[in-house]
Amino acid sequence: MKILVLNSGSSSQKSALYEIGESVGEDPPAPLWEGKVEWHGGSAEAQVKTSGGVAQKDHVKVSSRAEAVEHLLSTLWQGKHAAIASPAEISAVGHRVVHGGPKYQEPALVTSEVKAGIAEVSAFAPLHNRAELEGMKVIEDLLGSVPQFAVFDTGFHRRIPPAAAAYPGPYKWFESGIHRYGFHGINHQYCARRAAQLLTRDLISLKLVTCHLGNGCSLAAIEQGHSVDTTMGFTPLEGLMMGTRSGSIDPGILTYLMREGRLQPQQIDDVLNKESGLLGISGISGDMREILTAMKQGNSRPRLAFDIYVHRLQAGIGAMVAVLGGLDALVFTAGVGENSAEVRAAACGKLGFLGLKIDAVANASGLTDADIATRDSAVRVLIIRAQEDWTIATECWRLMQVSSMATPSNPA
């Protein structure tokens, strides 16, 4: 069964094609094909890589986001690096949907009703949900009636207890759906399962803190395989300092700025989401790699940005450990979590009181799906490669199996 996965963003589209047989193995395989397209104005840059290691890059003129996505997907079955002979080989398509709102928690077959529900909560994550709906429309146009499934980033956090989920405002907020939903759930859930595999432990026995550190950042406290707290909330803006997002700030700052007439609501939204975080403090970039380079050159603002980032990360980890009442393993994942030894070392620097000891050589090795704690550390420290696309593909495979069992076969 060949399953195509779409991970849609506001100005980019990542996709991957997997082939799954009669069962899903423990170790994620490399995709048959993976691609990414980014667009700016009327042009787009597409990158494609096949399982054979063949890669290609091209620039095309596009008039819309949909046209850019169609161009990327067409390379699956057209051109010298095509991975399949025709679109008919694709059995199902899975979509990462950032916000499922209060209604959608479990992965779901995409229907007109499900699309309407995703659209209803698009105001909670406008940069993502609308792009994901557009991706579904592109698939309908290209592949016709192939089954499509929505896998929700908020789903894994659905069991967070009310004490952690509710905001201390008027109770009617909670009644009307204004509460902590949490995000990055697809990867937090995968990392919890993968941690149990790597440690050869039963997931139910583990207390984990998973650190998803990319352009967006969030932590999850995981106990008995379930998320019991997380740092992102009603929107993906709450919590840790991020690449261009502020994370949590005093809400009084916003009312002050509005009262003084300095910023209007849309301006506030832009400042918090696009002009804050590492970029806002450093004045250079929201990319941790560029922050680290500038620090080494002696620039003070990138140093401050790094120090704030680490301070808030340490504070967040401490809060998650307190919620769990202990810790068996700390997990780092996503772009920064997997690739920045400096961030991992700094984050673990004040966690010695937990009995956590990081192995400097292992930390610097660059290996993923690896334990970088010392042998005598009371807490394991894992680097786990993010596998959102693979997780979505396996959910689609599972739902297709359920569907085939539910459909009676025709008599011979």
Side-chain angles (χ1 to χ4, degrees):
M1 184 185 297
K2 292 184 176 71
I3 298 174
L4 177 65
V5 175
L6 270 69
N7 194 331
S8 303
S10 58
S11 61
S12 67
Q13 172 73 61
K14 292 188 290 184
S15 300
L17 181 72
Y18 291 92
E19 186 166 25
I20 304 178
E22 295 183 357
S23 63
V24 176
E26 284 191 355
D27 295 325
L32 297 177
W33 171 97
E34 56 186 326
K36 180 180 181 180
V37 61
E38 297 179 314
W39 51 91
H40 308 280
S43 66
E45 180 180 86
Q47 302 178 51
V48 170
K49 184 169 70 173
T50 66
S51 58
V54 176
Q56 73 175 66
K57 254 187 206 184
D58 62 8
H59 293 265
V60 293
K61 291 186 183 254
V62 293
S63 59
S64 66
R65 181 186 182 284
E67 189 176 337
V69 176
E70 288 176 6
H71 169 75
L72 175 68
L73 296 180
S74 70
T75 65
L76 251 175
W77 55 81
Q78 293 177 2
K80 61 182 180 179
H81 300 314
I84 56 177
S86 78
E89 292 186 39
I90 298 172
S91 303
V93 180
H95 299 266
R96 175 191 176 217
V97 178
V98 166
H99 212 308
K103 188 173 182 181
Y104 295 106
Q105 300 172 345
E106 300 292 341
L109 177 69
V110 173
T111 63
S112 56
E113 180 185 354
V114 169
K115 286 189 286 186
I118 294 170
E120 283 176 12
V121 295
S122 62
F124 298 171
L127 297 180
H128 295 90
N129 275 33
R130 290 167 189 159
E132 290 142 12
L133 287 167
E134 190 169 1
M136 294 172 192
K137 177 64 167 59
V138 168
I139 292 298
E140 288 175 6
D141 293 341
L142 289 176
L143 305 183
S145 59
V146 66
Q148 298 190 63
F149 298 95
V151 182
F152 300 96
D153 234 356
T154 47
F156 180 55
H157 303 295
R158 64 191 177 276
R159 295 194 184 187
I160 288 176
Y167 290 104
Y171 184 70
K172 63 183 178 182
W173 285 6
F174 189 66
E175 291 180 307
S176 63
I178 299 176
H179 57 77
R180 175 170 282 110
Y181 288 94
F183 299 89
H184 297 139
I186 296 169
N187 194 43
H188 283 301
Q189 184 174 30
Y190 169 79
C191 286
R193 292 171 177 170
R194 187 63 170 162
Q197 290 174 2
L198 295 173
L199 297 173
T200 62
R201 292 273 302 273
D202 187 336
L203 178 56
I204 292 176
S205 72
L206 291 172
K207 294 182 178 182
L208 306 169
V209 173
T210 50
C211 308
H212 180 111
L213 307 177
N215 186 49
C217 301
S218 68
L219 307 178
I222 300 171
E223 187 170 23
Q224 296 186 350
H226 301 295
S227 172
V228 295
D229 204 355
T230 188
T231 52
M232 281 184 171
F234 179 64
T235 73
L237 183 59
E238 188 181 2
L240 302 176
M241 180 183 185
M242 308 179 215
T244 64
R245 282 174 261 175
S246 65
S248 296
I249 62 169
D250 181 348
I253 296 171
L254 307 183
T255 57
Y256 167 77
L257 291 172
M258 294 179 72
R259 190 167 56 247
E260 293 293 309
R262 297 186 188 181
L263 292 175
Q264 296 304 310
Q266 185 57 52
Q267 291 174 303
I268 289 175
D269 191 84
D270 288 342
V271 166
L272 296 181
N273 279 291
K274 302 175 182 178
E275 302 170 19
S276 297
L278 292 172
L279 173 63
I281 297 297
S282 73
I284 292 175
S285 175
D287 188 317
M288 181 59 76
R289 292 168 296 187
E290 295 186 26
I291 297 296
L292 292 169
T293 298
M295 282 170 51
K296 291 172 184 176
Q297 295 170 351
N299 294 345
S300 60
R301 281 179 57 184
R303 164 56 70 180
L304 176 60
F306 180 84
D307 289 345
I308 297 170
Y309 185 97
V310 170
H311 171 80
R312 290 186 164 227
L313 177 55
Q314 288 174 329
I317 292 170
M320 295 294 111
V321 173
V323 167
L324 292 170
L327 184 64
D328 293 304
L330 180 66
V331 177
F332 291 95
T333 184
V336 176
E338 294 169 30
N339 296 299
S340 178
E342 295 92 340
V343 167
R344 293 191 299 266
C348 294
K350 292 186 178 179
L351 300 180
F353 69 95
L354 295 171
L356 184 154
K357 300 177 184 178
I358 193 169
D359 184 316
V361 174
N363 183 42
S365 69
L367 296 176
T368 56
D369 288 14
D371 186 347
I372 60 169
T374 61
R375 288 188 177 184
D376 62 340
S377 176
V379 175
R380 308 323 300 165
V381 182
L382 305 177
I383 305 171
I384 296 180
R385 184 183 175 193
Q387 293 281 4
E388 289 173 320
D389 291 347
W390 169 244
T391 303
I392 293 168
T394 59
E395 290 290 355
C396 293
W397 178 87
R398 179 181 62 81
L399 290 168
M400 290 289 283
Q401 300 302 307
V402 170
S403 175
S404 64
M405 288 189 289
T407 304
S409 59
N410 294 324

